[in-house]
Amino acid sequence: PRLLGSVIWVLGAALLWFWHWKLQRVQALRDIFSSFVVMLVGVCLAALATLLAAAATLNIVIPLPWDFTEMGRRFADSGPLAISALLSGAIFWTYHHWQLAGRGLLVVTVSRQIISGISLALLASGLGMVVNALLASVSSPLNSDTAPSVLRTGIALAVVGVVFWALYFRPGVPADPESRRVYLVLFFGVSAVVALVALLIVGYRVFEILVAGTSAALNLLDYIRAPLGWLLATAGVSAYHFALWKSDRERLASQRPQAPAAPSAGSPVPAEPAPAAARTVIVVAPHGSDHLLATLQLTEGLVVRWIASSGPRLPEEITQQLVNRITETLATRPGSLLAVAGADGQVSFTELAD
């Protein structure tokens, strides 16, 4: 009965989705509202569910405490549900990620930043739980009932968070300061507020123990370890984003043109500077790449030029892969680019001088 009920739910939901997405041609809508709905619901919410399911799966397979029998029991109880949620979320996420192609560079950039923020939140939560468990190991034995579970969950959240944060934020790749200014300010502010609240909780609990007359240091440590873990994790996140924001602000200040000095009497009036040229992407692709070029031309402020290369016409799925790769690269590289498309869907990029 349980399996039959699940099958009925899946078939009914699939029919409703197919009716609206395909037959009613919701998929073809390209306005800004539809694009952001697809991005938020189809990509970001699916990414959140997938990352949580990945952390839950990793939490099951980490052998803490070092008892593989207990790990087998956890896998038998929660493993099938976690793995099924991971697979379904990954399929949903991947499909709608490909659907973002052709919806503009802004939508792709915002989706990357939101997924990066979700991953960073998981990383900070995991670090806080790891600190909590380590402090619990000082105040109580590590083989207690709570400390290994908290440590295992914290490690799983931290591993999943740091992997996807590195993939989507790309801390080692130079980024356009204008494109991530709101993201940095938002995360710096939120993490600073959480750190301040955690600091107030730590201070209140220390004051409460001092007033109550309890003198055991281990009791104090056990009492403040949870907010102290949150304080350390969020303070680190806030400091990192503040440093990035300050660095980007200095880069923007150095790139901003200085106001010219007022001309002296009798000197010729200088001509007004020409407007800044738009970004250019030169695409080298075979004949029949009209869909690729038309999709890239939807990006605001982008000049698309095409150089026809020899070779057969590319299949539609290969053309869609080329659109996705070029759009993602434009979101992370601020300058003009030369994109040479291959027959296998791979693209080689060369940055062009201004």
Side-chain angles (χ1 to χ4, degrees):
R2 186 175 180 181
L3 177 60
L4 180 60
S6 301
V7 170
I8 293 175
W9 273 102
V10 170
L11 291 178
L15 287 175
L16 286 175
W17 172 83
F18 185 80
W19 170 263
H20 289 89
W21 187 252
K22 295 291 185 181
L23 299 182
Q24 298 296 321
R25 300 189 60 80
V26 175
Q27 182 183 11
L29 297 178
R30 288 294 187 270
D31 59 282
I32 192 67
F33 176 77
S34 302
S35 299
F36 269 90
V37 169
V38 172
M39 182 264 294
L40 290 175
V41 178
V43 177
C44 297
L45 287 182
L48 174 61
T50 304
L51 295 183
L52 290 177
T57 304
L58 188 59
N59 182 27
I60 292 171
V61 300
I62 294 178
L64 277 178
W66 301 105
D67 186 356
F68 289 93
T69 303
E70 181 64 26
M71 184 188 71
R73 291 197 193 97
R74 290 198 306 270
F75 188 83
D77 292 338
S78 306
L81 179 60
I83 294 175
S84 61
L86 174 61
L87 292 177
S88 58
I91 293 172
F92 200 79
W93 180 10
T94 304
Y95 175 79
H96 288 90
H97 174 75
W98 292 116
Q99 294 298 315
L100 288 186
R103 296 180 181 271
L105 187 59
L106 177 62
V107 178
V108 177
T109 303
V110 172
S111 69
R112 293 184 64 88
Q113 291 180 353
I114 292 179
I115 296 174
S116 172
I118 293 172
S119 304
L120 188 60
L122 295 181
L123 172 59
S125 302
L127 290 178
M129 296 181 74
V130 168
V131 173
N132 185 358
L134 293 178
L135 293 178
S137 68
V138 177
S139 59
S140 61
L142 187 61
N143 58 359
S144 63
D145 294 336
T146 57
S149 176
V150 173
L151 180 61
R152 187 176 62 246
T153 305
I155 292 175
L157 289 173
V159 169
V160 173
V162 73
V163 168
F164 283 90
W165 175 75
L167 286 175
Y168 279 86
F169 188 72
R170 297 178 182 176
V173 178
D176 184 12
E178 285 287 352
S179 65
R180 65 179 187 181
R181 181 168 55 181
V182 176
Y183 169 85
L184 293 178
V185 172
L186 180 63
F187 248 91
F188 163 66
V190 171
S191 56
V193 170
V194 176
L196 179 60
V197 172
L199 179 61
L200 292 176
I201 295 175
V202 170
Y204 172 77
R205 291 190 173 181
V206 171
F207 178 76
E208 186 180 14
I209 285 185
L210 292 177
V211 171
T214 304
S215 60
L218 291 182
N219 291 338
L220 172 63
L221 185 62
D222 193 59
Y223 200 47
I224 66 171
R225 57 185 172 86
L228 184 60
W230 278 100
L231 173 62
L232 295 177
T234 53
V237 171
S238 178
Y240 175 77
H241 285 83
F242 176 75
L244 280 183
W245 173 78
K246 186 177 180 182
S247 175
D248 287 353
R249 188 180 179 185
E250 293 174 354
R251 286 174 57 190
L252 287 174
S254 64
Q255 295 172 1
R256 188 176 297 117
Q258 301 293 330
S264 59
S267 62
V269 179
E272 294 185 359
R279 292 178 64 189
T280 302
V281 56
I282 301 176
V283 180
V284 180
H287 288 284
S289 303
D290 304 53
H291 172 66
L292 170 63
L293 302 175
T295 302
L296 293 176
Q297 287 170 351
L298 294 175
T299 303
E300 184 178 356
L302 183 67
V303 177
V304 182
R305 297 178 181 175
W306 174 45
I307 299 177
S309 61
S310 60
R313 178 172 180 169
L314 298 178
E316 184 177 352
E317 60 271 12
I318 297 297
T319 304
Q320 190 67 32
Q321 294 179 22
L322 294 175
V323 170
N324 295 333
R325 288 188 171 88
I326 294 176
T327 305
E328 290 178 356
T329 305
L330 288 172
T332 57
R333 297 189 185 183
S336 299
L337 294 174
L338 169 66
V340 181
D344 56 350
Q346 299 298 323
V347 188
S348 60
F349 295 97
T350 302
E351 294 187 2
L352 303 177
D354 296 332

